[in-house]
Amino acid sequence: MARLTHIFTRFAVVVSEWTGKPVIFVLALLSVVLWGATGPIFGYSDTWQLVINTSTTIVTFLMVFLLQNAQMRDTRAIQAKLNELILTSAAENRFVGIENLDEEDLKHLDRLVEKAAKREPEQHQDEAGESIEHDRAIAATSANNRKRRRVSRTASSKAKSETENSSRKPA
């Protein structure tokens, strides 16, 4: 399996680099122009239209997976590089791994960073400890909320299935 993953990764990298070149765009554009120019020859038939529709659909479908793979790899690499910069600099380590937070927590951290950027450097040093504790409390609250939602969904699913089962029993 690891070998297959490695082969796919290499293939995805090569195709992503190859398809991102201007010459490939020009070739794609020329093929669409050529297809359009052949319309009168084929009488703008359904088959003529099906050729471009099918080919572009297939190419788009396959490219989505290749580009998603390349984007995920790039994102992981960027996150690893950023985490390394954070860990080896004077930046606060609390930002390592924040890409896993939910949207609300990320927005809150964004507001905190904006506030910190506007503060004086001395003020930032005084309040850093307080800010870290506040952020940890927010992350813990978010984790607890997600856990409560999972438990609530599980409980409501059980109650619903019990109600459905009791209504199915013959009277």
Side-chain angles (χ1 to χ4, degrees):
M1 186 66 179
R3 179 165 164 67
L4 185 60
T5 302
H6 178 71
I7 290 170
F8 179 74
T9 299
R10 298 282 297 158
F11 176 74
V13 167
V14 169
V15 171
S16 295
E17 289 175 0
W18 185 69
T19 56
K21 297 184 183 216
V23 69
I24 300 304
F25 174 79
V26 171
L27 287 174
L29 181 63
L30 287 175
S31 64
V32 171
V33 169
L34 179 64
W35 168 81
T38 62
I41 297 169
F42 293 103
Y44 300 103
S45 68
D46 289 343
T47 304
W48 173 79
Q49 292 178 26
L50 191 61
V51 167
I52 195 75
N53 290 339
T54 304
S55 60
T56 56
T57 301
I58 290 170
V59 169
T60 302
F61 178 74
L62 295 175
M63 287 302 294
V64 164
F65 297 104
L66 290 174
L67 295 176
Q68 181 64 32
N69 177 273
Q71 184 180 11
M72 283 182 357
R73 256 183 302 99
D74 288 348
T75 300
R76 281 195 306 265
I78 289 168
Q79 287 301 323
K81 291 174 183 179
L82 288 172
N83 289 344
E84 179 65 16
L85 288 172
I86 290 169
L87 292 171
T88 59
S89 70
E92 297 179 29
N93 292 349
R94 67 183 168 163
F95 289 102
V96 172
I98 65 170
E99 64 275 6
N100 299 318
L101 295 176
D102 62 17
E103 189 65 27
E104 293 171 19
D105 293 338
L106 286 173
K107 285 180 182 177
H108 177 73
L109 283 176
D110 192 36
R111 287 190 300 271
L112 287 176
V113 170
E114 284 179 22
K115 283 182 188 176
K118 293 176 184 175
R119 283 190 232 137
E120 293 293 320
E122 303 84 27
Q123 215 177 4
H124 179 64
Q125 292 299 323
D126 294 340
E127 296 175 3
E130 180 183 316
S131 179
I132 291 170
E133 292 305 317
H134 181 69
D135 292 348
R136 285 183 182 149
I138 289 171
T141 302
S142 176
N144 288 336
N145 288 342
R146 284 191 297 269
K147 186 175 181 180
R148 267 192 240 118
R149 284 190 295 253
R150 281 193 304 265
V151 169
S152 173
R153 276 188 240 129
T154 304
S156 65
S157 296
K158 286 181 182 178
K160 184 178 178 184
S161 65
E162 288 174 7
T163 303
E164 288 174 358
N165 286 340
S166 66
S167 66
R168 290 182 192 160
K169 292 180 183 176

